[in-house]
C-alpha cells in the first residue's frame, strides 16, 4: 500500500515528533510511505528528497519565517505539495493537522485519485482549548477560520484519529461518525534501557524531559514541593530542554536542587539518561490536557524507570491498568511532597518498577499503534 503523510510543520533533525514516528512505523509494516514536510532554511527552489528509516521524505522549499512554517502555513511549499498530490496516486493519505493549509494536499489527492483520507485530531483547538492561548494577531487573522475548519475538516475526512476519549466524544457530538482512539506510542527500538544503579547513600534524580519556562505553570505544585528545604541534599531535579529563567528559579527555590542539562538528542545519546531514577509526568488537568496524550510518557516508559505521575483523563485508566511502575500522586504540593518522602524511603524496588514500565512500552510501541491505523483503514474500506 502507498501512504502519504502530510506534516504540519517544518523538517526537524530529530524526527519531527509523533508524525514521523507514526510514518516510520507504518513503513515498518511493509508499506511505501512518503512524508511531506517543509525545509528548515529559507529557499525558493530546492526540493530535498531522501530515504530515512524506511520513509521517503520530501522537504519542500519556502521563504516564510520558521514560526509560520511550523504552524502549517506556506505558499511555495503548499503549492508544490499540491502538485505532488495531484501527480502521485496513494491509497491512504494522512494529515497530522488537517484543518491547517498543510492538510490540503491530502484532500486534493483524494479528489484526484480516490484515496482514503484520515485526519488526525491531536488537540482541542477550539474556543475552550488552544484558541484561548493564541495571540491577538492569530485570533484576528485566522482564529475564526481555525475554529470553523477544525470541525469542517473532520466531518469531511473518511476517518478521524484522536488521542483520547474526550476528543472521541467531541467528534461524535459534532457528527463525525468514523473516529478511532489511537494514543501516542513508545520508541522501544530507538531507546534502550539501562539497569538501575544503586540508590543507597545518593540523591534521587527526578528527571523531566522537554523543559521550558512555558512548562512551569503545568508543573507548579511539583516545583513548589521539590524546592522545599527539607529535600536539600536528598533529591536532584534534572531537566533536559530549555534553561529556566532566574525569576522561576528564585520563585520556586530551585537553585539548590536543579541540574539543568540543556537539549540533547536522546535518541542518539540515550546514555546521558542512565543516571535517571524517577521520571516526572505532572501536568495541570484541563481540557487541553485531557484532549491529548503526553508523548514524553512513551519515552519515559521505554527508558524503563519509575514514573511520578498525576493521572488525568484517560491516564487514570492507564495507570490503573499498569500500576506496577507508577508513583501516583495528586496535583497538590502537599500530596507531592508526601510522595517524594515515600520515594526517598526506598521501600519500592526501582529496578522491577522500571522493568515493568519497559514491558508496558513494548506493548504500546509505535509499530503497534501503526497496526491500529492499518486496522482502522481496513475497517473503513469495508
Amino acid at each position: 500500500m502507498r501512504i502519504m503523510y502530510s506534516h504540519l510543520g517544518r523538517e526537524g533533525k530529530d524526527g519531527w515528533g509523533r508524525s514521523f514516528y507514526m510514518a516510520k512505523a507504518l513503513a515498518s509494516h511493509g508499506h511505501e510511505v512518503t512524508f511531506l514536510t517543509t525545509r528548515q532554511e529559507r529557499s525558493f527552489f530546492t526540493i530535498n528528497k531522501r530515504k530515512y528509516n524506511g520513509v521517503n521524505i520530501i522537504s519542500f522549499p519556502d521563504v516564510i519565517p520558521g514560526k509560520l512554517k511550523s504552524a502549517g502555513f506556506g505558499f511555495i511549499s503548499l503549492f508544490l505539495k499540491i502538485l505532488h498530490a495531484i501527480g502521485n496516486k496513494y491509497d491512504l493519505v494522512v494529515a497530522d493537522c488537517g484543518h491547517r493549509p498543510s492538510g490540503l494536499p491530502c484532500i486534493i489527492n483524494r479528489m484526484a485519485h480516490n484515496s482514503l483520507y484520515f485526519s488526525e485530531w491531536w488537540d482541542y483547538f477550539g474556543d475552550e482549548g488552544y484558541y484561548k492561548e493564541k495571540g491577538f494577531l492569530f485570533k484576528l487573522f485566522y482564529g475564526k477560520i481555525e475554529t470553523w475548519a477544525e470541525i469542517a475538516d473532520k466531518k469531511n475526512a473518511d476517518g478521524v484519529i484522536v488521542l483520547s476519549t474526550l476528543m472521541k466524544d467531541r467528534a461524535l457530538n459534532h457528527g463525525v461518525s468514523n473516529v478511532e482512539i489511537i494514543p501516542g506510542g513508545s520508541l522501544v527500538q530507538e531507546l534502550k534501557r539501562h539497569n538501575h544503579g544503586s540508590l543507597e547513600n545518593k540523591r534521587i534524580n527526578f528527571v523531566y524531559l522537554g523543559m521550558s519556562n512555558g512548562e512551569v505553570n503545568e508543573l507548579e505544585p511539583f516545583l513548589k514541593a521539590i524546592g522545599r528545604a527539607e529535600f536539600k541534599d536528598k533529591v536532584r531535579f534534572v531537566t533536559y530542554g530549555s534553561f529556566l529563567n532566574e525569576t522561576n528559579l528564585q520563585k520556586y527555590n530551585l537553585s539548590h536542587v536543579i541540574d539543568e542539562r540543556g537539549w540533547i538528542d536522546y535518541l542518539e545519546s540515550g546514555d546521558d539518561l542512565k543516571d535517571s531514577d524517577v521520571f516526572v509526568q505532572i501536568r495541570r488537568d484541563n481540557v487541553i490536557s485531557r484532549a491529548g496524550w503526553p508523548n514524553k510518557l512513551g519515552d519515559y516508559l521505554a527508558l524503563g524507570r519509575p514514573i511520578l505521575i498525576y493521572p488525568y483523563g484517560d491516564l487514570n485508566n492507564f495507570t490503573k491498568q499498569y500500576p506496577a511502575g507508577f508513583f501516583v500522586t495528586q496535583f497538590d504540593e502537599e500530596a507531592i511532597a508526601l510522595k517524594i518522602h515515600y520515594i526517598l524511603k526506598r521501600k519500592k524496588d526501582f529496578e522491577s518498577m522500571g522493568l515493568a514500565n519497559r514491558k508496558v512500552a513494548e506493548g504500546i510501541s509505535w509499530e503497534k499503534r501503526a497496526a491500529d491505523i492499518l486496522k482502522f483503514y481496513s475497517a473503513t474500506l469495508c
Side-chain angles (χ1 to χ4, degrees):
M1 180 166 65
R2 299 191 74 213
I3 302 171
M4 183 183 82
Y5 219 111
S6 184
H7 177 43
L8 168 70
R10 53 182 169 164
E11 184 177 16
K13 63 183 178 63
D14 60 350
W16 308 276
R18 173 190 162 88
S19 301
F20 188 78
Y21 299 152
M22 187 61 80
K24 181 171 72 71
L26 288 166
S28 74
H29 285 270
H31 301 289
E32 181 185 339
V33 181
T34 299
F35 190 81
L36 306 185
T37 186
T38 306
R39 294 184 59 185
Q40 279 273 9
E41 65 276 14
R42 293 187 181 187
S43 172
F44 277 103
F45 305 112
T46 307
I47 299 174
N48 286 340
K49 297 182 180 181
R50 68 187 190 280
K51 195 158 189 171
Y52 176 62
N53 282 348
V55 178
N56 300 312
I57 300 173
I58 306 179
S59 299
F60 294 93
D62 219 308
V63 294
I64 62 172
K67 189 172 183 179
L68 288 174
K69 290 181 188 178
S70 297
F73 301 97
F75 302 105
I76 299 173
S77 57
L78 180 60
F79 175 72
L80 293 173
K81 288 176 183 178
I82 289 172
L83 289 182
H84 177 89
I86 293 172
N88 293 271
K89 177 176 173 56
Y90 291 97
D91 303 294
L92 172 64
V93 291
V94 184
D96 62 15
C97 205
H99 67 281
R100 293 278 176 86
S102 56
L104 282 174
C106 292
I107 296 171
I108 289 172
N109 190 266
R110 181 176 63 175
M111 294 170 60
H113 301 291
N114 199 33
S115 56
L116 213 61
Y117 169 41
F118 281 0
S119 182
E120 295 188 327
W121 205 356
W122 295 352
D123 293 310
Y124 200 121
F125 294 96
D127 290 339
E128 298 302 316
Y130 277 111
Y131 180 82
K132 294 189 298 183
E133 300 184 359
K134 296 296 184 181
F136 172 75
L137 291 178
F138 182 93
K139 290 179 178 179
L140 178 65
F141 291 106
Y142 194 71
K144 292 304 178 184
I145 298 174
E146 170 118 317
T147 55
W148 168 82
E150 178 187 16
I151 306 302
D153 169 69
K154 305 308 177 287
K155 288 184 174 180
N156 180 51
D158 298 301
V160 174
I161 297 167
V162 297
L163 306 183
S164 65
T165 302
L166 183 148
M167 289 302 285
K168 181 173 183 178
D169 290 343
R170 186 174 181 226
L172 294 173
N173 289 337
H174 280 287
V176 180
S177 57
N178 194 31
V179 55
E180 187 73 15
I181 301 175
I182 304 176
S186 191
L187 294 166
V188 293
Q189 293 183 359
E190 293 82 357
L191 296 173
K192 64 180 180 179
R193 179 189 180 275
H194 296 277
N195 290 332
H196 219 126
S198 173
L199 296 175
E200 298 300 323
N201 303 316
K202 71 180 283 288
R203 286 188 181 189
I204 288 183
N205 289 334
F206 289 85
V207 179
Y208 189 83
L209 300 180
M211 177 55 76
S212 70
N213 285 286
E215 295 282 292
V216 167
N217 183 56
E218 307 298 334
L219 284 165
E220 188 169 56
F222 172 79
L223 297 179
K224 287 181 177 179
I226 205 164
R228 289 182 174 190
E230 64 203 76
F231 296 125
K232 185 179 181 181
D233 300 325
K234 295 180 180 178
V235 303
R236 183 183 288 109
F237 181 39
V238 181
T239 66
Y240 293 90
S242 300
F243 290 82
L244 296 182
N245 58 43
E246 191 62 31
T247 300
N248 282 322
L249 291 176
Q250 291 184 11
K251 179 180 179 181
Y252 298 107
N253 193 32
L254 296 175
S255 298
H256 70 284
V257 71
I258 198 166
D259 178 0
E260 298 180 285
R261 300 185 180 180
W263 288 103
I264 64 166
D265 182 357
Y266 55 87
L267 297 183
E268 296 294 331
S269 54
D271 287 357
D272 292 342
L273 295 166
K274 64 185 177 182
D275 65 345
S276 305
D277 295 318
V278 179
F279 286 116
V280 178
Q281 178 59 56
I282 305 287
R283 184 179 174 89
R284 192 176 297 276
D285 183 3
N286 53 33
V287 168
I288 293 174
S289 298
R290 294 194 301 274
W293 182 266
N295 278 335
K296 62 168 59 74
L297 179 60
D299 297 337
Y300 291 166
L301 293 167
L303 289 162
R305 289 291 188 266
I307 300 169
L308 174 66
I309 190 168
Y310 165 56
Y312 52 80
D314 288 359
L315 287 179
N316 282 295
N317 288 333
F318 187 79
T319 53
K320 290 175 183 175
Q321 185 178 1
Y322 307 107
F326 294 110
F327 292 112
V328 177
T329 187
Q330 300 296 315
F331 196 79
D332 174 79
E333 179 184 348
E334 292 300 327
I336 293 172
L338 286 173
K339 190 63 67 170
I340 293 174
H341 278 297
Y342 175 78
I343 292 170
L344 286 171
K345 291 177 182 177
R346 297 164 171 79
K347 289 185 176 181
K348 289 274 190 169
D349 181 356
F350 284 31
E351 183 71 11
S352 63
M353 292 181 73
L355 288 170
N357 279 343
R358 176 68 186 192
K359 186 174 181 180
V360 172
E362 291 166 357
I364 61 165
S365 68
W366 283 105
E367 288 71 26
K368 293 186 183 296
R369 297 306 197 202
D372 292 336
I373 285 186
L374 296 172
K375 290 177 185 176
F376 188 35
Y377 170 80
S378 298
T380 304
L381 281 178
C382 297

